[in-house]
Amino acid sequence: MTGWLSVFAWLFTTASAASFCAQLCLGLAAFYHEDYTPEPYQVWLIYTLIIIICAAFVCLLPKLVPITESVFFWASVVGFVVSFIALLAASKVKQPASVVFTGWVNQTGWSDGTAFMLAVGQSMYGFLCTDSATHISEELPNPGRNVPRAMWLTIAIGIATTLPFTLAVLFSIQSFDELSASALPIREIYFQALNSKAGAAFFVFLILFIYFGAVIGLVVTSGRLIWAFARDDGIPFPKVFSKTHPTLQTPVNATLLTAVFCILYGLIYIGSTEAFNSFVATSILSLNITYVIPQAILLIRGRANVLPKRHFDLGAAFGTFCNVFSCAWVALYAVLFCFPIFLPVTAKSMNYVSVVMAGTVLFVVVMWFARGRGRFTGPNIQGLEVLSAVNMGQTGVFSAGRSVSERQEDAEEPRKVEA
């Protein structure tokens, strides 16, 4: 269940990021041509092109992926600093502190408390891929130390940049009514603050550039996740999708499956944007469920009985608190994510996450009885002591710059010896 939910969640997240890039492209076109209204099929065409470019880059130029991802990361940091300064410096009128910190406008139809909780749930999208480093752990040096570092630094950097950027945006908005009516709110924010089409277009393009880098990272992670799940015989045709290309030294088949799924799934956008967005919203809930299933197991079986020696140890008290809080939080939002955002509810404004989630779970159950039961036993844990030593940095099995297949061969050899 955890494996399938994680696969679908990452595929849906990849689709959502590529879709946002396509909407930004057409939003820039509509910005300069006010008589132009983007059609859903046009969004899908650009969306498909973005998926193809990213998949081709990941498959054909795998050694450049770490370098380009570093470029995108620093572009996001520099972009944050420039945006923060530009918004505050250029906006002619600043919203009063009372509006920014205490003002409250609730047009959802829900009570203020419920509306607040629903808004918090939507903001979880910004931290959706915190676990991405875990899915490429076999390609990281000293993963037992560097994977947790990547995860908590994601949160730390996110907090350090999101809070001041949000404040700068709120202080710089000139008209909340025009913003809420805009088809592309981020473009409207920059246009109101800078009072310049060129300036607004520049920052929208910067966001497009950064988000394109995110799509590359999502394609990498989704492909690696499918590849790893196939190695454990968790998906159909495991021999096909667990292979790495002999020349390119990367899981090409699994990456291509990611691209094909996203392209076909994007066709839903042409027929119904609401249905497409329901699938995307399901990714938030699905990923959070995959985060807490292992934590619930820790609580049931006892952390001391399950967890091995590790670099990042929260301790018995704080670790248990985190496990309990996470399970309670996701249990709450498993219900809230099924609520419609606005009342009264119409067929168009209905939240179909519960339907999509039920369908996904039904699919996983069918897959379990059709092929999983009796075949799937979970990850291969032979040679656990050797791999644990690798995670603790006590051996040099995984070294930086090694290809996927080379690392796989290195890891399999001590497993065979111990077996």
Side-chain angles (χ1 to χ4, degrees):
M1 183 65 72
T2 302
W4 271 113
L5 286 179
S6 186
V7 167
F8 278 124
W10 275 92
L11 291 174
F12 292 154
T13 306
T14 304
S16 71
S19 172
F20 183 62
C21 288
Q23 292 174 33
L24 286 178
C25 290
L26 293 179
L28 284 173
F31 192 36
Y32 282 95
H33 303 276
E34 297 181 359
D35 58 339
Y36 168 65
T37 302
E39 297 291 338
Y41 81 90
Q42 295 171 330
V43 175
W44 179 80
L45 288 174
I46 296 180
Y47 161 92
T48 299
L49 178 62
I50 291 171
I51 292 291
I52 292 174
I53 292 174
C54 291
F57 181 81
V58 171
C59 290
L60 301 177
L61 301 171
K63 292 184 178 181
L64 294 182
V65 171
I67 298 174
T68 55
E69 289 300 295
S70 296
V71 171
F72 289 123
F73 168 75
W74 286 110
S76 69
V77 174
V78 173
F80 153 71
V81 175
V82 174
S83 294
F84 178 77
I85 295 174
L87 286 171
L88 293 179
S91 54
K92 296 180 179 180
V93 178
K94 301 294 190 298
Q95 293 289 341
S98 60
V99 172
V100 173
F101 293 105
T102 63
W104 181 264
V105 179
N106 178 12
Q107 299 177 341
T108 64
W110 292 102
S111 65
D112 287 351
T114 303
F116 173 79
M117 294 300 291
L118 291 176
V120 170
Q122 296 301 314
S123 68
M124 291 165 64
Y125 179 85
F127 292 94
L128 192 59
C129 302
T130 307
D131 66 319
S132 58
T134 66
H135 301 304
I136 56 171
S137 57
E138 293 189 43
E139 299 175 71
L140 295 178
N142 196 1
R145 181 176 181 179
N146 288 328
V147 168
R149 285 182 63 191
M151 293 177 70
W152 70 256
L153 279 171
T154 298
I155 301 297
I157 295 172
I159 294 174
T161 54
T162 299
L163 183 60
F165 178 76
T166 303
L167 291 176
V169 166
L170 291 174
F171 275 112
S172 303
I173 292 174
Q174 306 298 299
S175 171
F176 285 96
D177 291 335
E178 292 181 8
L179 179 63
S180 62
S182 174
L184 195 61
I186 190 64
R187 181 196 65 195
E188 182 65 22
I189 289 172
Y190 283 116
F191 182 62
Q192 288 187 14
L194 304 177
N195 195 26
S196 167
K197 276 195 171 184
F202 168 79
F203 282 107
V204 171
F205 178 80
L206 179 60
I207 293 174
L208 171 62
F209 176 76
I210 296 169
Y211 242 86
F212 180 79
V215 177
I216 292 177
L218 287 164
V219 171
V220 170
T221 306
S222 299
R224 263 57 172 184
L225 180 58
I226 293 173
W227 170 71
F229 202 22
R231 286 190 306 169
D232 298 331
D233 201 9
I235 64 174
F237 310 107
K239 292 183 179 180
V240 175
F241 297 114
S242 63
K243 287 183 178 180
T244 55
H245 193 278
T247 304
L248 299 172
Q249 299 296 305
T250 191
V252 172
N253 292 346
T255 304
L256 292 178
L257 177 61
T258 298
V260 171
F261 176 90
C262 290
I263 290 172
L264 295 178
Y265 164 70
L267 290 170
I268 299 175
Y269 190 90
I270 299 177
S272 171
T273 56
E274 289 77 18
F276 180 91
N277 292 331
S278 293
F279 278 93
V280 171
T282 307
S283 64
I284 305 177
L285 179 56
S286 298
L287 268 187
N288 278 278
I289 291 175
T290 66
Y291 297 160
V292 301
I293 288 178
Q295 298 191 60
I297 293 174
L298 291 182
L299 291 175
I300 295 172
R301 297 189 60 189
R303 291 171 57 87
N305 299 325
V306 177
L307 294 176
K309 185 179 179 183
R310 56 206 178 276
H311 276 293
F312 192 72
D313 190 345
L314 295 176
F318 187 59
T320 301
F321 168 78
C322 289
N323 296 148
V324 172
F325 180 86
S326 298
C327 292
W329 179 267
V330 173
L332 171 64
Y333 272 95
V335 177
L336 291 179
F337 268 119
C338 298
F339 283 22
I341 302 299
F342 295 99
L343 294 178
V345 183
T346 64
K348 187 173 182 179
S349 64
M350 174 61 184
N351 186 345
Y352 294 98
V353 168
S354 58
V355 179
V356 176
M357 198 69 204
T360 303
V361 172
L362 178 61
F363 172 83
V364 177
V365 171
V366 171
M367 289 299 299
W368 170 254
F369 285 103
R371 69 175 312 278
R373 187 173 58 172
R375 297 179 60 178
F376 179 75
T377 58
N380 186 345
I381 59 173
Q382 291 181 359
L384 179 60
E385 290 81 3
V386 175
L387 296 179
S388 178
V390 171
N391 281 339
M392 290 296 293
Q394 297 169 2
T395 67
V397 175
F398 295 159
S399 58
R402 304 297 302 282
S403 68
V404 172
S405 60
E406 290 172 333
R407 293 167 191 270
Q408 185 177 0
E409 292 172 0
D410 287 343
E412 290 296 336
E413 190 59 34
R415 291 178 186 175
K416 294 176 183 177
V417 172
E418 178 144 337

